[in-house]
Amino acid sequence: MQFAPLYPILYRVLKPCFPGCLWSAPTERTATDRSSSVALTFDDGPHPEYTPALLEELDSLAVPATFFCLGRSVSRHPQWVRAIDRGGHGLGLHGYEHRSFPSLGRDRLQESLARTRSAIARACGWDLEQVARRVRDVRPPNGVFTPQVLRWLREWNYRPVMWSVVPEDWCEPGVSVVVERVLAQVTDGSVIVLHDGYYGGRDVVATVAALVPQLRDRGYQFCLIDEFWSRWETARDRRS
């Protein structure tokens, strides 16, 4: 069963209830910066076939993206994590396995995130201090979290990242359907979720190839999640 029509409603309900998560970027602009931007994000990789093809497509389009990786996949395919980093893309955590965070409990969740960081550190040749500084963003599998999970993430100095546009590409409804869903929902500051793993990854290159030119035609630029956090922090400071 597909739930694509429900995700825009969930976003509008949950975003104000959990303001400590990054759901989308604030849209405040300076007098000299009135451009619109979106963040392309990819979950569940790296995959040995889909991720390298996706990286090649992103490079050809000159589009930066943020990849929320599964630790087990990082351990199996470290070369593609290195390629993500060397391509100028962002890295985030999706847990070591695709398990609901609330089901893990405190200790197992902390271990899952730490193991994923360690796998990324080995893949990229970083020490643990570097990976702790550079990889702070966490997206819960299936978007499932509780207030307690968010408190733990903040306590451990992680940054929870959610979404505002979820076209449900993992159900493989077809490239044209995924693109239509994104274009119907996208606004300035949107965080778009696609997948380069076993579910959804088969169509990800074709989806990106079709989607990016249409977003550019609408005037959108592409940002990393880290840039959206900077905008979020600037907006917070203005309010305080």
Side-chain angles (χ1 to χ4, degrees), residues 189-228:
S190 287
V191 175
I192 301 167
V193 179
L194 298 171
H195 293 76
D196 64 326
Y198 285 95
Y199 297 98
R202 184 179 63 176
D203 291 336
V204 71
V205 173
T207 299
V208 167
L211 179 62
V212 166
Q214 295 190 63
L215 289 173
R216 282 189 165 140
D217 286 345
R218 295 187 179 196
Y220 289 104
Q221 300 178 2
F222 296 88
C223 292
L224 296 176
I225 286 295
D226 196 56
E227 296 174 63
F228 274 16

Side-chain angles (χ1 to χ4, degrees), residues 2-222:
Q2 297 187 25
F3 297 94
L6 298 179
Y7 287 110
I9 300 170
L10 283 174
Y11 163 67
R12 290 194 294 271
V13 171
L14 292 174
K15 180 183 178 182
C17 295
F18 299 97
C21 299
L22 182 70
W23 297 86
S24 58
T27 56
E28 293 93 336
R29 289 291 183 276
T30 66
T32 57
D33 180 14
R34 298 189 179 278
S35 59
S36 296
S37 56
V38 296
L40 271 185
T41 68
F42 299 93
D43 289 1
D44 295 356
H47 183 280
E49 178 183 352
Y50 306 144
T51 302
L54 173 59
L55 289 172
E56 185 175 342
E57 184 66 25
L58 291 170
D59 182 61
S60 71
L61 294 167
V63 169
T66 303
F67 290 76
F68 289 87
C69 298
L70 292 172
R72 184 178 294 279
S73 296
V74 173
S75 296
R76 289 173 174 170
H77 312 293
Q79 69 275 32
W80 300 120
V81 180
R82 288 194 296 273
I84 290 169
D85 177 58
R86 291 171 183 172
H89 304 291
L91 286 165
L93 309 175
H94 204 43
Y96 195 80
E97 297 175 318
H98 203 276
R99 297 281 302 279
S100 167
F101 283 179
S103 73
L104 295 176
R106 177 188 173 94
D107 291 345
R108 289 172 64 199
L109 174 57
Q110 188 173 27
E111 179 189 16
S112 172
L113 297 174
R115 287 182 72 191
T116 306
R117 266 186 171 171
S118 295
I120 291 173
R122 289 191 300 270
C124 295
W126 300 340
D127 59 37
L128 292 182
E129 182 178 338
Q130 283 178 294
V131 77
R133 185 175 65 252
R134 297 181 63 174
V135 185
R136 295 177 57 204
D137 295 325
V138 177
R139 175 175 283 149
N142 301 318
V144 177
F145 64 90
T146 64
Q148 180 63 76
V149 165
L150 297 181
R151 285 193 290 270
W152 290 335
L153 294 177
R154 288 192 291 271
E155 177 186 336
W156 302 329
N157 201 33
Y158 291 113
R159 303 187 299 193
V161 177
M162 299 303 292
W163 33 257
S164 54
V165 178
V166 186
E168 214 172 32
D169 61 321
W170 64 87
C171 292
E172 298 185 346
V175 171
S176 62
V177 172
V178 172
V179 171
E180 287 173 9
R181 288 174 178 173
V182 173
L183 294 177
Q185 298 175 40
V186 70
T187 61
D188 183 23
S190 287
V191 175
I192 301 167
V193 179
L194 298 171
H195 293 76
D196 64 326
Y198 285 95
Y199 297 98
R202 184 179 63 176
D203 291 336
V204 71
V205 173
T207 299
V208 167
L211 179 62
V212 166
Q214 295 190 63
L215 289 173
R216 282 189 165 140
D217 286 345
R218 295 187 179 196
Y220 289 104
Q221 300 178 2
F222 296 88

